[in-house]
Amino acid sequence: MRAVLLAGIAALGLAPAIAEAQDRPDQKAFFSLYKELVETNTVVGVGSCTRAAAQITARLKAAGYADSDITQFSVPEHPEDGGVVAILKGSDANAKPMLLLAHIDVVEAKRADWERDPFKMVEENGYFYGRGTLDDKAQAAIWTDTLIRFRKEGYKPKRTVKLALTCGEETNGAFNGAEWLAANKRDLIDAEFALEEGGGGDSDGKGHVIGQSVQVGEKTFANFRLETRNAGGHSSVPVRDNAIYQLARALTRIDEYEFPVEMTDTTKRFFSEAGAARGDEMGKAMAALAADPADKAAEAIVNKDRFLHGNIRTTCVATLLDGGHAPNALPQRAGANINCRIFPGHPIEEIKAELEKVIGDPGVTVTQLPPKRPARPAPPLDPKVIGPMERLVALYWPGLKVIPSMANGYTDATFLGAVGIPTYGIPGIWGDPDGNGVHGLNERVEVKAVYVGRDFMYDLVKAYADKP
Ligand SMILES: [Zn+2]
């Protein structure tokens, strides 16, 4: 899920509150779909994504999609972690398809900890409450609803529009539908580009949307085990050569090492535009660094912000530690886990070699641990993709412009990017400054954000589908 990137950015000009009906017939049909999806528990290992995918399939078929337009999938080892792909064929054989991606699994939520039942959608105080109302079932429901509306309206896109709803995004190591589709059904999901979560809007918490961003690129990660070994012995006769101290020296060197500053076209624009919008000391330093990534004074200021510090470089940090076998014995072994968040475009082997160089001690072994994630360059700031977002954001939120940004974390874009489908986290639905309880308690999303976001996303898909 997206980080709140634009917190602290002053409004560029307050957009007038958009009048949103909630009783249009098309909105009522959407609400029923969205509610059913939120109320279907899709926590991996507890609920069933396969069931949610079947409900979606039933609605697509009721809207006129043929069996041949729909592929439900799951694997025998994970029967409840399935998903669905649906296709609305385009009229222009030369136009490349586009892909709408969303995950339908959610993070666990315990009834006892929540104020309301997390798997009942409750509307209260202008918000929808429930697990997944924001991450990522609003998007999944809106994508599905868009395909249903297209069919019902008899709309014929030039470009083929594909929908993929998948499971496993929220649980590391779970069966991941996007990864599986990329590896096993590449042709089925083939697309010139894909749209998914990760971007979005920010409100000031008082009903005004103050920023909209598109996520273009993300870091990948790798875990490395550092290990030292030693013959050990009795602790009453210590020697200089000690597995724990040797490991400690290696960790200190990693601690003191800073990976060099790097920027993509996207992060340059983000630092320049978000920096200018802030206007404070940090904002000025951001803009200065975008203009000259070698500006050390600007970098020193930017480094004080933990998100920005990680956004301009690879980072590696110690996260686990073990060593020794008895209080009165010299250690025979010591180990640590180093978690690296790798800037786009660097092979994982290159980061391993850099760690070995920084440690400078062949007695410390560095081993990459599974899972091995793909390392891909960031997608381009393609005007064909970004242009319609800019145009529609200016229309929906006059005075706001879309700021592209790169994530320090990762989404399913990592798997699509690995098979050559550039994937973008779209603007649209907005969140509050407190993060809306995503992954936490009492997850919620503004009712207005869902309905306005839905209209925006419908228009956005149509903009791409009309003009390949
Ligand atoms: Zn998510």
Side-chain angles (χ1 to χ4, degrees):
M1 189 52 205
R2 62 194 304 266
V4 179
L5 286 175
L6 304 174
I9 294 176
L12 295 168
L14 293 180
I18 296 160
E20 79 297 339
Q22 283 169 46
D23 43 14
R24 283 169 14 208
D26 66 283
Q27 289 177 326
K28 284 185 180 158
F30 161 76
F31 177 79
S32 140
L33 188 168
Y34 178 40
K35 181 175 192 291
E36 181 179 55
L37 187 56
V38 169
E39 294 189 349
T40 302
N41 186 329
T42 51
V43 175
V44 167
V46 180
S48 175
C49 287
T50 303
R51 194 172 147 233
Q55 291 163 348
I56 296 279
T57 299
R59 285 178 184 268
L60 288 166
K61 284 188 182 169
Y65 283 86
D67 287 353
S68 56
D69 300 326
I70 300 173
T71 308
Q72 291 187 77
F73 64 91
S74 64
V75 295
E77 309 82 67
H78 304 278
E80 300 304 328
D81 302 342
V84 60
V85 177
I87 292 174
L88 178 62
K89 281 194 191 69
S91 59
D92 181 349
N94 295 318
K96 289 186 190 142
M98 62 183 290
L99 175 65
L100 312 175
L101 178 74
H103 66 87
I104 50 173
D105 60 314
V106 291
V107 174
E108 176 65 296
K110 300 269 187 234
R111 175 67 189 97
D113 302 335
W114 280 51
E115 285 170 29
R116 308 161 191 83
D117 185 340
F119 296 102
K120 284 269 170 287
M121 194 153 86
V122 178
E123 186 179 341
E124 220 175 284
N125 316 317
Y127 283 86
F128 290 127
Y129 288 86
R131 173 56 89 219
T133 47
L134 182 53
D135 182 15
D136 186 26
K137 287 181 169 177
Q139 190 175 48
I142 292 170
W143 288 150
T144 305
D145 168 70
T146 298
L147 252 68
I148 288 173
R149 284 167 83 186
F150 283 172
R151 182 66 106 195
K152 284 189 175 161
E153 292 160 5
Y155 170 64
K156 299 256 180 287
K158 291 207 177 79
R159 189 199 283 280
T160 292
V161 183
K162 299 183 176 184
L163 165 73
L165 302 178
T166 61
C167 202
E169 196 271 347
E170 297 289 11
T171 310
N172 226 338
F175 170 75
N176 183 296
E179 182 178 22
W180 186 84
L181 287 169
N184 298 285
K185 297 276 180 192
R186 175 69 183 76
D187 286 349
L188 184 67
I189 58 162
D190 184 45
E192 188 173 14
F193 61 92
L195 307 178
E196 60 136 21
E197 64 174 345
D202 289 292
S203 88
D204 61 0
K206 300 180 199 94
H208 299 112
V209 179
I210 56 168
Q212 283 286 356
S213 72
V214 52
Q215 185 171 300
V216 186
E218 50 191 45
K219 292 169 106 177
T220 192
F221 78 90
N223 285 304
F224 297 98
R225 175 158 174 89
L226 265 51
E227 196 169 280
T228 53
R229 304 244 188 155
N230 191 278
H234 201 287
S235 62
S236 64
V237 284
V239 290
R240 295 298 308 163
D241 188 16
N242 176 298
I244 289 178
Y245 292 133
Q246 188 181 17
L247 179 71
R249 282 190 292 272
L251 293 176
T252 302
R253 286 186 194 125
I254 292 171
D255 176 31
E256 288 166 353
Y257 180 69
E258 190 87 292
F259 282 80
V261 172
E262 293 182 78
M263 298 185 106
T264 63
D265 290 349
T266 294
T267 60
K268 272 187 191 153
R269 258 187 67 182
F270 172 69
F271 274 70
S272 158
E273 291 175 15
R278 286 177 69 124
D280 57 359
E281 190 204 19
M282 182 63 75
K284 286 186 186 112
M286 288 168 70
L289 196 65
D292 177 13
D295 184 335
K296 291 288 166 200
E299 184 199 333
I301 296 167
V302 164
N303 283 347
K304 290 183 201 161
D305 180 292
R306 67 202 315 201
F307 169 78
L308 299 176
H309 169 262
N311 204 234
I312 52 171
R313 55 170 54 81
T314 294
T315 59
C316 290
V317 63
T319 52
L320 293 167
L321 191 59
D322 60 84
H325 57 284
N328 56 357
L330 298 172
Q332 291 159 6
R333 187 198 304 248
N337 187 80
I338 301 292
N339 182 259
C340 294
R341 300 304 180 120
I342 301 169
F343 200 84
H346 293 285
I348 288 168
E349 299 69 37
E350 181 192 316
I351 302 302
K352 176 174 179 279
E354 192 151 354
L355 284 177
E356 287 167 340
K357 201 172 123 207
V358 168
I359 293 165
D361 177 354
V364 181
T365 58
V366 180
T367 312
Q368 201 215 322
L369 303 175
K372 296 204 174 184
R373 288 298 176 91
R376 291 283 303 178
L381 263 180
D382 185 349
K384 197 194 301 166
V385 178
I386 307 297
M389 295 177 184
E390 291 177 326
R391 186 169 59 72
L392 284 168
V393 163
L395 196 69
Y396 273 73
W397 299 277
L400 284 191
K401 58 184 199 173
V402 189
I403 300 187
S405 64
M406 183 188 85
N408 287 359
Y410 57 91
T411 67
D412 282 337
T414 192
F415 301 114
L416 298 188
V419 294
I421 304 172
T423 302
Y424 299 83
I426 58 160
I429 296 175
W430 60 87
D432 296 331
D434 71 356
N436 296 65
V438 162
H439 291 201
L441 287 177
N442 308 315
E443 182 173 346
R444 66 180 203 284
V445 60
E446 246 189 274
V447 171
K448 198 161 89 175
V450 173
Y451 284 115
V452 175
R454 171 176 175 267
D455 287 343
F456 173 86
M457 287 160 70
Y458 173 89
D459 287 343
L460 185 65
V461 176
K462 225 170 189 175
Y464 297 123
D466 278 340
K467 287 198 184 59

